Structures are given as structure tokens and as C-alpha cells.
Amino acid sequence: MRRFLFWCVLGAVVSALVAAPETPKQTPPPKPQVARTRVADGFDFPVGKPDADGYYKARGFRPNGHLGEDWNGIKGGDTDLGDPIYSTAHGLVVFARDVHLGWGNVVVIRHIYFEERELKTVDSLYGHLDAIKVREGQQVLRGQLIGTMGTAHGIYPAHLHFEIHKNIQMGVSRTGYRHDFTNYYSPTDFINGRRQLPGGGRTTLVAINTFTETRTFGAPTSGGAALRNDPKSTTGSLPASTTITVPKSSARPLKSSTFRVDRFGDLNSE
Ligand SMILES: [Zn+2]
């Protein structure tokens, strides 16, 4: 009897082992959750590098109002159209797309920096760009050209809308997040307090694919590896840098149904 039981159990184990590989895996491979990037050695202003020479802050950060800063050239009008926009610090491009709807072309760069003996993460956001000069997954250095100043497809006079996000889940979607210092920094204050930082330059792991918004905001800049929607993203292998310009012809008519963002309570000069 004991021997019979032994063979029964053995048979069950063997059949389980044999059967296991036959169950087809339906789920797609998981998206990468981390990528390598350089620790920031300090933060600079995104225009007139490094100190915003030749530019002024036309509009500041206001909690529950204007959630970033508007930067303009001192010569006025659209004389600053096409001016270079620079990465505020070393980091990884986690978003580089045409979002339309008041945002236009947007680049979001994720930064890791040392502060109070720990590694912290922030996102810098550059909105209304005329052209995007980086692609998702690209490593950038402080002061590197990432885009040019634009008008969000003619909606505004040319300026840069610049944000610093404490919360790295928001990206370009503000819905459901508090519009205050819980999730945002005042950009100028943030930069001025971190012009030079210790421990910069070394590489470390940074979280990616953190945005909670699941809808697609247009295609990533051509040739880029999408961090959010492409499970085969090669982000983890540090892709070589390239320069890609998003042509204006890629602009599509505004569609309020495709993307809703609470940014119109402050319409005058986003
Ligand atoms: Zn603005």
C-alpha cells in the first residue's frame, strides 16, 4: 500500500512538472522598472545657461494656480522663438512627445541627486517647445540642448513653461494630484538651493515607467524607445544619444476627448 502511494505521489509530481511548461504565457513581458542614469552635480536654469542670462521670469509658480514658471527672452515678443532650451541637470529623458491641448511638445527629464545623505528624484518638465531635440530613454547632461522655445502650436506667445515635480507619477497629467508643494517645487527656489551638489557624475539606478496616466499622448519622437508603451524598451541598456526634431506638420487638431488636464483655471499665459 505504501509503495502504491509512493508511485501515486511521484506520478502526480512528474505530471505537474511536465504540464507546467505547456501552459502558454499570455502576459506580455513586464516593462523595465529601472534604468541607469547619472547623479546630478547641480541644477542650472533651462534658458540662458547657466544663470538665465538674457531671459526673465514672466510668470512665477503659484500653488493651486500656475504650477510652473514662464521664461521669456528680454527682447520681447517672439524674438525668443526657437531659442535653445537646456536640461536643468544630468538625467534621463522619460517623456518626449507632442501632447497638444495647451502643452504642445513636452520633454520630461528625471533627475537623481544627493541631498541630506540620500538619493532623491525629481522630474523637470519643459512645455510648449517648438522642437524636441531628445528622445525617450536618452541620457542628458546638465546644460545639454533638449529642445527649442515654442508657442504650443501657436496658442501662446513664445515662452518656456518650466516645472519641477517632486512627484514622479504625474508627468503631464495633473488630474488627481494636489496642485501644491506636495507634488511640486517652485522651480527657481529649487534650482537656487541646488546649484552645486555633492556626489554628481556617478551612475545609479532610477525608477522609470512611473507615470500613472495610461493613455498614449501621441507617438514618442521618431526612433525613440518608448518607456511607457513599448515593452521591448531598451532603456536599460543606455541607448546612444541622438537628436530628433519633431516636425510641426505632426500637429493634430485639439481633441478634448483624448486627454484631459486641469490646467485651464490659469489660462492667461500658460
Ligand atoms: Zn506657464
Side-chain angles (χ1 to χ4, degrees):
M1 184 59 184
R2 191 172 287 179
R3 180 169 289 188
F4 174 72
L5 275 176
F6 169 79
W7 285 111
C8 281
V9 170
L10 186 66
V13 168
V14 168
S15 58
L17 285 173
V18 170
E22 287 173 4
T23 31
K25 248 199 161 181
Q26 300 292 344
T27 49
K31 292 176 187 173
Q33 296 305 310
V34 290
R36 286 211 158 265
T37 194
R38 280 185 194 82
V39 175
D41 59 357
F43 286 78
D44 289 341
F45 287 89
V47 288
K49 73 173 179 180
D51 301 319
D53 287 345
Y55 296 82
Y56 70 102
K57 197 164 52 177
R59 199 157 175 232
F61 174 88
R62 186 161 56 84
N64 299 307
H66 192 236
L67 299 175
E69 293 173 346
D70 289 346
W71 285 90
N72 278 73
I74 55 175
K75 291 176 185 167
D78 276 351
T79 54
D80 49 7
L81 177 62
D83 280 5
I85 306 295
Y86 306 104
S87 179
T88 185
H90 299 343
L92 177 71
V93 178
V94 291
F95 190 92
R97 299 185 188 208
D98 188 351
V99 191
H100 305 281
L101 286 174
W103 285 103
N105 289 313
V106 176
V107 167
V108 180
I109 300 174
R110 185 150 299 167
H111 312 282
I112 292 260
Y113 62 100
F114 264 116
E115 191 170 72
E116 295 160 349
R117 295 184 183 178
E118 56 180 286
L119 283 170
K120 296 184 176 177
T121 310
V122 288
D123 282 349
S124 59
L125 180 150
Y126 312 78
H128 313 335
L129 300 177
D130 193 54
I132 292 175
K133 300 287 190 183
V134 289
R135 61 180 173 79
E136 293 178 1
Q138 182 178 337
Q139 304 288 335
V140 291
L141 296 174
R142 176 164 56 91
Q144 185 170 336
L145 178 72
I146 57 155
T148 58
M149 192 173 286
T151 62
H153 307 306
I155 297 175
Y156 311 112
H159 72 279
L160 171 70
H161 177 83
F162 178 61
E163 299 181 359
I164 300 279
H165 295 177
K166 193 179 294 186
N167 183 321
I168 62 168
Q169 297 184 317
M170 295 188 298
V172 295
S173 178
R174 295 166 170 171
T175 309
Y177 296 99
R178 292 170 63 114
H179 295 178
D180 57 24
F181 291 107
T182 316
N183 295 314
Y184 294 85
Y185 284 103
S186 175
T188 291
D189 292 345
F190 179 88
I191 291 171
N192 280 336
R194 295 165 183 84
R195 293 307 299 266
Q196 292 190 330
L197 294 170
R202 73 175 79 168
T203 63
T204 187
L205 290 174
V206 62
I208 58 171
N209 290 316
T210 58
F211 296 152
T212 49
E213 176 59 66
T214 54
R215 282 167 286 179
T216 305
F217 305 102
T221 54
S222 54
L227 293 180
R228 285 172 39 72
N229 298 313
D230 180 4
K232 288 178 233 151
S233 170
T234 54
T235 306
S237 61
L238 291 183
S241 60
T242 57
T243 296
I244 289 159
T245 304
V246 176
K248 277 192 162 178
S249 58
S250 68
R252 289 173 303 179
L254 302 183
K255 258 198 208 162
S256 58
S257 59
T258 55
F259 175 57
R260 187 175 150 270
V261 59
D262 179 16
R263 70 194 308 279
F264 299 110
D266 227 39
L267 198 58
N268 292 333
S269 59
E270 286 282 353

mmCIF file of all heavy atoms in Angstrom, residues 206-251:
data_model
loop_
_atom_site.group_PDB
_atom_site.id
_atom_site.type_symbol
_atom_site.label_atom_id
_atom_site.label_comp_id
_atom_site.label_asym_id
_atom_site.label_seq_id
_atom_site.Cartn_x
_atom_site.Cartn_y
_atom_site.Cartn_z
ATOM 1 N N VAL A 206 17.610 54.525 -11.567
ATOM 2 C CA VAL A 206 16.495 55.432 -11.370
ATOM 3 C C VAL A 206 15.216 54.709 -11.794
ATOM 4 O O VAL A 206 15.216 53.928 -12.750
ATOM 5 C CB VAL A 206 16.692 56.732 -12.181
ATOM 6 C CG1 VAL A 206 16.747 56.463 -13.679
ATOM 7 C CG2 VAL A 206 15.605 57.749 -11.869
ATOM 8 N N ALA A 207 14.136 54.959 -11.070
ATOM 9 C CA ALA A 207 12.856 54.335 -11.407
ATOM 10 C C ALA A 207 12.336 54.902 -12.722
ATOM 11 O O ALA A 207 12.431 56.105 -12.976
ATOM 12 C CB ALA A 207 11.847 54.595 -10.297
ATOM 13 N N ILE A 208 11.787 54.052 -13.570
ATOM 14 C CA ILE A 208 11.145 54.515 -14.801
ATOM 15 C C ILE A 208 9.759 53.867 -14.902
ATOM 16 O O ILE A 208 9.394 53.027 -14.077
ATOM 17 C CB ILE A 208 11.975 54.187 -16.061
ATOM 18 C CG1 ILE A 208 12.230 52.680 -16.160
ATOM 19 C CG2 ILE A 208 13.281 54.957 -16.052
ATOM 20 C CD1 ILE A 208 12.846 52.278 -17.483
ATOM 21 N N ASN A 209 9.029 54.269 -15.918
ATOM 22 C CA ASN A 209 7.653 53.781 -16.100
ATOM 23 C C ASN A 209 6.797 54.035 -14.862
ATOM 24 O O ASN A 209 6.034 53.177 -14.418
ATOM 25 C CB ASN A 209 7.647 52.296 -16.460
ATOM 26 C CG ASN A 209 8.196 52.064 -17.858
ATOM 27 O OD1 ASN A 209 7.848 52.799 -18.784
ATOM 28 N ND2 ASN A 209 9.067 51.099 -18.002
ATOM 29 N N THR A 210 6.939 55.219 -14.314
ATOM 30 C CA THR A 210 6.232 55.544 -13.076
ATOM 31 C C THR A 210 4.954 56.340 -13.308
ATOM 32 O O THR A 210 4.169 56.512 -12.386
ATOM 33 C CB THR A 210 7.126 56.392 -12.147
ATOM 34 O OG1 THR A 210 7.509 57.575 -12.845
ATOM 35 C CG2 THR A 210 8.357 55.617 -11.720
ATOM 36 N N PHE A 211 4.759 56.853 -14.513
ATOM 37 C CA PHE A 211 3.583 57.692 -14.742
ATOM 38 C C PHE A 211 2.304 56.869 -14.633
ATOM 39 O O PHE A 211 2.192 55.789 -15.210
ATOM 40 C CB PHE A 211 3.644 58.363 -16.109
ATOM 41 C CG PHE A 211 4.784 59.327 -16.266
ATOM 42 C CD1 PHE A 211 5.332 59.562 -17.504
ATOM 43 C CD2 PHE A 211 5.305 59.994 -15.170
ATOM 44 C CE1 PHE A 211 6.387 60.451 -17.657
ATOM 45 C CE2 PHE A 211 6.364 60.879 -15.307
ATOM 46 C CZ PHE A 211 6.901 61.104 -16.558
ATOM 47 N N THR A 212 1.337 57.405 -13.894
ATOM 48 C CA THR A 212 0.105 56.656 -13.685
ATOM 49 C C THR A 212 -0.867 56.813 -14.843
ATOM 50 O O THR A 212 -1.757 55.986 -15.023
ATOM 51 C CB THR A 212 -0.593 57.111 -12.387
ATOM 52 O OG1 THR A 212 -0.671 58.536 -12.401
ATOM 53 C CG2 THR A 212 0.184 56.659 -11.178
ATOM 54 N N GLU A 213 -0.723 57.888 -15.611
ATOM 55 C CA GLU A 213 -1.589 58.080 -16.773
ATOM 56 C C GLU A 213 -1.277 57.004 -17.801
ATOM 57 O O GLU A 213 -0.123 56.837 -18.202
ATOM 58 C CB GLU A 213 -1.340 59.461 -17.383
ATOM 59 C CG GLU A 213 -2.099 59.732 -18.651
ATOM 60 C CD GLU A 213 -3.596 59.630 -18.455
ATOM 61 O OE1 GLU A 213 -4.155 60.454 -17.726
ATOM 62 O OE2 GLU A 213 -4.173 58.689 -19.019
ATOM 63 N N THR A 214 -2.300 56.261 -18.209
ATOM 64 C CA THR A 214 -2.038 55.110 -19.072
ATOM 65 C C THR A 214 -2.328 55.387 -20.535
ATOM 66 O O THR A 214 -1.966 54.608 -21.393
ATOM 67 C CB THR A 214 -2.880 53.903 -18.632
ATOM 68 O OG1 THR A 214 -4.249 54.312 -18.579
ATOM 69 C CG2 THR A 214 -2.442 53.397 -17.286
ATOM 70 N N ARG A 215 -3.013 56.507 -20.807
ATOM 71 C CA ARG A 215 -3.307 56.766 -22.212
ATOM 72 C C ARG A 215 -2.063 57.218 -22.958
ATOM 73 O O ARG A 215 -1.100 57.692 -22.361
ATOM 74 C CB ARG A 215 -4.401 57.842 -22.334
ATOM 75 C CG ARG A 215 -5.780 57.284 -22.080
ATOM 76 C CD ARG A 215 -6.765 58.398 -21.905
ATOM 77 N NE ARG A 215 -6.597 59.035 -20.608
ATOM 78 C CZ ARG A 215 -7.325 60.068 -20.204
ATOM 79 N NH1 ARG A 215 -8.238 60.580 -20.997
ATOM 80 N NH2 ARG A 215 -7.137 60.590 -19.009
ATOM 81 N N THR A 216 -2.100 57.081 -24.260
ATOM 82 C CA THR A 216 -0.956 57.457 -25.073
ATOM 83 C C THR A 216 -1.094 58.907 -25.508
ATOM 84 O O THR A 216 -2.124 59.322 -25.998
ATOM 85 C CB THR A 216 -0.872 56.569 -26.320
ATOM 86 O OG1 THR A 216 -0.853 55.219 -25.892
ATOM 87 C CG2 THR A 216 0.365 56.879 -27.115
ATOM 88 N N PHE A 217 -0.049 59.682 -25.329
ATOM 89 C CA PHE A 217 -0.060 61.084 -25.740
ATOM 90 C C PHE A 217 0.686 61.210 -27.061
ATOM 91 O O PHE A 217 1.744 61.802 -27.123
ATOM 92 C CB PHE A 217 0.626 61.945 -24.691
ATOM 93 C CG PHE A 217 0.040 61.783 -23.319
ATOM 94 C CD1 PHE A 217 0.679 61.007 -22.391
ATOM 95 C CD2 PHE A 217 -1.144 62.400 -22.982
ATOM 96 C CE1 PHE A 217 0.148 60.867 -21.122
ATOM 97 C CE2 PHE A 217 -1.669 62.270 -21.717
ATOM 98 C CZ PHE A 217 -1.025 61.487 -20.791
ATOM 99 N N GLY A 218 0.145 60.635 -28.111
ATOM 100 C CA GLY A 218 0.859 60.707 -29.378
ATOM 101 C C GLY A 218 2.090 59.835 -29.331
ATOM 102 O O GLY A 218 2.464 59.306 -28.285
ATOM 103 N N ALA A 219 2.721 59.697 -30.475
ATOM 104 C CA ALA A 219 3.882 58.827 -30.555
ATOM 105 C C ALA A 219 5.088 59.501 -29.938
ATOM 106 O O ALA A 219 5.199 60.717 -29.958
ATOM 107 C CB ALA A 219 4.168 58.499 -32.017
ATOM 108 N N PRO A 220 5.993 58.696 -29.368
ATOM 109 C CA PRO A 220 7.245 59.300 -28.928
ATOM 110 C C PRO A 220 7.995 59.807 -30.147
ATOM 111 O O PRO A 220 7.714 59.391 -31.266
ATOM 112 C CB PRO A 220 7.986 58.136 -28.267
ATOM 113 C CG PRO A 220 7.383 56.915 -28.850
ATOM 114 C CD PRO A 220 5.966 57.255 -29.197
ATOM 115 N N THR A 221 8.937 60.692 -29.944
ATOM 116 C CA THR A 221 9.686 61.238 -31.070
ATOM 117 C C THR A 221 10.295 60.090 -31.854
ATOM 118 O O THR A 221 10.790 59.135 -31.279
ATOM 119 C CB THR A 221 10.799 62.179 -30.579
ATOM 120 O OG1 THR A 221 11.595 61.470 -29.644
ATOM 121 C CG2 THR A 221 10.185 63.397 -29.913
ATOM 122 N N SER A 222 10.249 60.188 -33.163
ATOM 123 C CA SER A 222 10.563 59.057 -34.028
ATOM 124 C C SER A 222 11.935 58.478 -33.715
ATOM 125 O O SER A 222 12.894 59.198 -33.511
ATOM 126 C CB SER A 222 10.502 59.483 -35.484
ATOM 127 O OG SER A 222 11.327 60.612 -35.683
ATOM 128 N N GLY A 223 11.969 57.162 -33.701
ATOM 129 C CA GLY A 223 13.229 56.483 -33.438
ATOM 130 C C GLY A 223 13.478 56.266 -31.963
ATOM 131 O O GLY A 223 14.361 55.528 -31.582
ATOM 132 N N GLY A 224 12.682 56.886 -31.136
ATOM 133 C CA GLY A 224 12.897 56.760 -29.708
ATOM 134 C C GLY A 224 12.305 55.486 -29.159
ATOM 135 O O GLY A 224 11.368 54.936 -29.707
ATOM 136 N N ALA A 225 12.860 55.025 -28.072
ATOM 137 C CA ALA A 225 12.301 53.854 -27.396
ATOM 138 C C ALA A 225 11.302 54.344 -26.373
ATOM 139 O O ALA A 225 11.640 55.066 -25.465
ATOM 140 C CB ALA A 225 13.415 53.068 -26.710
ATOM 141 N N ALA A 226 10.052 53.979 -26.540
ATOM 142 C CA ALA A 226 9.025 54.446 -25.615
ATOM 143 C C ALA A 226 9.179 53.772 -24.272
ATOM 144 O O ALA A 226 9.244 52.563 -24.180
ATOM 145 C CB ALA A 226 7.653 54.150 -26.184
ATOM 146 N N LEU A 227 9.248 54.571 -23.235
ATOM 147 C CA LEU A 227 9.387 53.990 -21.904
ATOM 148 C C LEU A 227 8.055 53.474 -21.409
ATOM 149 O O LEU A 227 7.993 52.504 -20.689
ATOM 150 C CB LEU A 227 9.883 55.049 -20.927
ATOM 151 C CG LEU A 227 11.295 55.569 -21.157
ATOM 152 C CD1 LEU A 227 11.625 56.614 -20.115
ATOM 153 C CD2 LEU A 227 12.277 54.425 -21.082
ATOM 154 N N ARG A 228 6.979 54.156 -21.832
ATOM 155 C CA ARG A 228 5.709 53.841 -21.219
ATOM 156 C C ARG A 228 4.919 52.784 -21.967
ATOM 157 O O ARG A 228 4.199 52.025 -21.372
ATOM 158 C CB ARG A 228 4.847 55.108 -21.157
ATOM 159 C CG ARG A 228 5.283 56.077 -20.088
ATOM 160 C CD ARG A 228 4.535 57.387 -20.197
ATOM 161 N NE ARG A 228 3.130 57.202 -20.548
ATOM 162 C CZ ARG A 228 2.224 56.725 -19.740
ATOM 163 N NH1 ARG A 228 2.570 56.347 -18.541
ATOM 164 N NH2 ARG A 228 0.984 56.608 -20.138
ATOM 165 N N ASN A 229 5.065 52.735 -23.271
ATOM 166 C CA ASN A 229 4.152 51.902 -24.029
ATOM 167 C C ASN A 229 4.832 50.800 -24.818
ATOM 168 O O ASN A 229 4.184 50.035 -25.493
ATOM 169 C CB ASN A 229 3.348 52.784 -24.992
ATOM 170 C CG ASN A 229 2.527 53.791 -24.228
ATOM 171 O OD1 ASN A 229 1.866 53.425 -23.258
ATOM 172 N ND2 ASN A 229 2.606 55.043 -24.607
ATOM 173 N N ASP A 230 6.108 50.717 -24.748
ATOM 174 C CA ASP A 230 6.805 49.693 -25.513
ATOM 175 C C ASP A 230 7.477 48.715 -24.560
ATOM 176 O O ASP A 230 8.480 49.032 -23.937
ATOM 177 C CB ASP A 230 7.850 50.355 -26.414
ATOM 178 C CG ASP A 230 8.599 49.319 -27.221
ATOM 179 O OD1 ASP A 230 8.253 48.122 -27.130
ATOM 180 O OD2 ASP A 230 9.533 49.712 -27.942
ATOM 181 N N PRO A 231 6.913 47.516 -24.442
ATOM 182 C CA PRO A 231 7.505 46.559 -23.510
ATOM 183 C C PRO A 231 8.907 46.139 -23.912
ATOM 184 O O PRO A 231 9.656 45.618 -23.107
ATOM 185 C CB PRO A 231 6.543 45.370 -23.567
ATOM 186 C CG PRO A 231 5.775 45.538 -24.836
ATOM 187 C CD PRO A 231 5.735 47.008 -25.125
ATOM 188 N N LYS A 232 9.275 46.388 -25.157
ATOM 189 C CA LYS A 232 10.617 45.990 -25.604
ATOM 190 C C LYS A 232 11.600 47.141 -25.459
ATOM 191 O O LYS A 232 12.659 47.146 -26.082
ATOM 192 C CB LYS A 232 10.561 45.534 -27.056
ATOM 193 C CG LYS A 232 9.871 44.195 -27.228
ATOM 194 C CD LYS A 232 9.806 43.817 -28.703
ATOM 195 C CE LYS A 232 8.396 43.492 -29.109
ATOM 196 N NZ LYS A 232 8.095 43.758 -30.491
ATOM 197 N N SER A 233 11.235 48.121 -24.664
ATOM 198 C CA SER A 233 12.115 49.268 -24.478
ATOM 199 C C SER A 233 13.531 48.825 -24.138
ATOM 200 O O SER A 233 13.746 47.917 -23.348
ATOM 201 C CB SER A 233 11.580 50.144 -23.347
ATOM 202 O OG SER A 233 12.536 51.117 -23.014
ATOM 203 N N THR A 234 14.476 49.497 -24.749
ATOM 204 C CA THR A 234 15.875 49.147 -24.494
ATOM 205 C C THR A 234 16.503 50.092 -23.486
ATOM 206 O O THR A 234 17.707 50.211 -23.416
ATOM 207 C CB THR A 234 16.681 49.218 -25.797
ATOM 208 O OG1 THR A 234 16.482 50.516 -26.369
ATOM 209 C CG2 THR A 234 16.225 48.159 -26.774
ATOM 210 N N THR A 235 15.672 50.724 -22.715
ATOM 211 C CA THR A 235 16.158 51.743 -21.792
ATOM 212 C C THR A 235 17.282 51.254 -20.902
ATOM 213 O O THR A 235 18.233 51.957 -20.645
ATOM 214 C CB THR A 235 15.005 52.221 -20.905
ATOM 215 O OG1 THR A 235 13.947 52.620 -21.752
ATOM 216 C CG2 THR A 235 15.450 53.371 -20.036
ATOM 217 N N GLY A 236 17.148 50.018 -20.464
ATOM 218 C CA GLY A 236 18.120 49.502 -19.519
ATOM 219 C C GLY A 236 19.524 49.400 -20.074
ATOM 220 O O GLY A 236 20.482 49.266 -19.344
ATOM 221 N N SER A 237 19.660 49.475 -21.403
ATOM 222 C CA SER A 237 20.978 49.291 -21.993
ATOM 223 C C SER A 237 21.620 50.615 -22.397
ATOM 224 O O SER A 237 22.549 50.627 -23.176
ATOM 225 C CB SER A 237 20.881 48.376 -23.210
ATOM 226 O OG SER A 237 20.030 48.963 -24.173
ATOM 227 N N LEU A 238 21.130 51.720 -21.832
ATOM 228 C CA LEU A 238 21.724 53.020 -22.078
ATOM 229 C C LEU A 238 21.902 53.305 -23.567
ATOM 230 O O LEU A 238 23.011 53.306 -24.086
ATOM 231 C CB LEU A 238 23.096 53.126 -21.394
ATOM 232 C CG LEU A 238 23.070 53.176 -19.874
ATOM 233 C CD1 LEU A 238 24.471 53.362 -19.346
ATOM 234 C CD2 LEU A 238 22.193 54.285 -19.374
ATOM 235 N N PRO A 239 20.809 53.534 -24.300
ATOM 236 C CA PRO A 239 20.924 53.778 -25.742
ATOM 237 C C PRO A 239 21.759 55.019 -26.033
ATOM 238 O O PRO A 239 21.783 55.957 -25.258
ATOM 239 C CB PRO A 239 19.471 53.999 -26.167
ATOM 240 C CG PRO A 239 18.754 54.373 -24.920
ATOM 241 C CD PRO A 239 19.453 53.657 -23.800
ATOM 242 N N ALA A 240 22.432 54.983 -27.152
ATOM 243 C CA ALA A 240 23.264 56.115 -27.539
ATOM 244 C C ALA A 240 22.394 57.332 -27.828
ATOM 245 O O ALA A 240 21.244 57.206 -28.212
ATOM 246 C CB ALA A 240 24.071 55.758 -28.782
ATOM 247 N N SER A 241 22.961 58.490 -27.637
ATOM 248 C CA SER A 241 22.165 59.699 -27.820
ATOM 249 C C SER A 241 22.034 60.055 -29.297
ATOM 250 O O SER A 241 22.933 59.828 -30.093
ATOM 251 C CB SER A 241 22.803 60.853 -27.062
ATOM 252 O OG SER A 241 24.095 61.077 -27.557
ATOM 253 N N THR A 242 20.884 60.586 -29.641
ATOM 254 C CA THR A 242 20.647 61.065 -30.992
ATOM 255 C C THR A 242 19.850 62.357 -30.889
ATOM 256 O O THR A 242 19.316 62.680 -29.845
ATOM 257 C CB THR A 242 19.817 60.073 -31.820
ATOM 258 O OG1 THR A 242 18.585 59.840 -31.134
ATOM 259 C CG2 THR A 242 20.541 58.768 -32.031
ATOM 260 N N THR A 243 19.784 63.063 -31.967
ATOM 261 C CA THR A 243 18.983 64.282 -31.995
ATOM 262 C C THR A 243 17.844 64.107 -32.977
ATOM 263 O O THR A 243 18.065 63.770 -34.126
ATOM 264 C CB THR A 243 19.845 65.483 -32.411
ATOM 265 O OG1 THR A 243 20.842 65.676 -31.426
ATOM 266 C CG2 THR A 243 18.983 66.734 -32.533
ATOM 267 N N ILE A 244 16.635 64.301 -32.499
ATOM 268 C CA ILE A 244 15.470 64.128 -33.356
ATOM 269 C C ILE A 244 14.582 65.348 -33.217
ATOM 270 O O ILE A 244 14.296 65.800 -32.115
ATOM 271 C CB ILE A 244 14.704 62.859 -32.957
ATOM 272 C CG1 ILE A 244 15.530 61.643 -33.365
ATOM 273 C CG2 ILE A 244 13.352 62.813 -33.649
ATOM 274 C CD1 ILE A 244 15.209 60.399 -32.650
ATOM 275 N N THR A 245 14.166 65.889 -34.329
ATOM 276 C CA THR A 245 13.284 67.049 -34.304
ATOM 277 C C THR A 245 11.884 66.620 -34.678
ATOM 278 O O THR A 245 11.689 65.894 -35.642
ATOM 279 C CB THR A 245 13.773 68.110 -35.302
ATOM 280 O OG1 THR A 245 15.116 68.442 -34.988
ATOM 281 C CG2 THR A 245 12.910 69.347 -35.223
ATOM 282 N N VAL A 246 10.921 67.042 -33.887
ATOM 283 C CA VAL A 246 9.536 66.738 -34.216
ATOM 284 C C VAL A 246 9.031 67.793 -35.191
ATOM 285 O O VAL A 246 8.989 68.975 -34.862
ATOM 286 C CB VAL A 246 8.661 66.749 -32.958
ATOM 287 C CG1 VAL A 246 7.209 66.532 -33.329
ATOM 288 C CG2 VAL A 246 9.124 65.680 -31.994
ATOM 289 N N PRO A 247 8.683 67.395 -36.414
ATOM 290 C CA PRO A 247 8.223 68.391 -37.381
ATOM 291 C C PRO A 247 6.891 68.974 -36.964
ATOM 292 O O PRO A 247 6.072 68.305 -36.344
ATOM 293 C CB PRO A 247 8.089 67.584 -38.679
ATOM 294 C CG PRO A 247 7.926 66.178 -38.235
ATOM 295 C CD PRO A 247 8.651 66.041 -36.934
ATOM 296 N N LYS A 248 6.682 70.241 -37.308
ATOM 297 C CA LYS A 248 5.429 70.886 -36.935
ATOM 298 C C LYS A 248 4.232 70.240 -37.628
ATOM 299 O O LYS A 248 3.116 70.317 -37.157
ATOM 300 C CB LYS A 248 5.494 72.363 -37.319
ATOM 301 C CG LYS A 248 6.199 73.206 -36.282
ATOM 302 C CD LYS A 248 5.991 74.669 -36.548
ATOM 303 C CE LYS A 248 6.300 75.475 -35.298
ATOM 304 N NZ LYS A 248 6.165 76.901 -35.514
ATOM 305 N N SER A 249 4.511 69.604 -38.773
ATOM 306 C CA SER A 249 3.419 69.007 -39.527
ATOM 307 C C SER A 249 2.766 67.866 -38.759
ATOM 308 O O SER A 249 1.704 67.393 -39.116
ATOM 309 C CB SER A 249 3.939 68.480 -40.863
ATOM 310 O OG SER A 249 4.966 67.547 -40.632
ATOM 311 N N SER A 250 3.414 67.419 -37.675
ATOM 312 C CA SER A 250 2.836 66.319 -36.909
ATOM 313 C C SER A 250 1.705 66.810 -36.002
ATOM 314 O O SER A 250 1.057 66.027 -35.331
ATOM 315 C CB SER A 250 3.915 65.642 -36.060
ATOM 316 O OG SER A 250 4.335 66.524 -35.043
ATOM 317 N N ALA A 251 1.486 68.133 -36.002
ATOM 318 C CA ALA A 251 0.435 68.674 -35.142
ATOM 319 C C ALA A 251 -0.937 68.173 -35.589
ATOM 320 O O ALA A 251 -1.232 68.124 -36.779
ATOM 321 C CB ALA A 251 0.465 70.191 -35.186
#
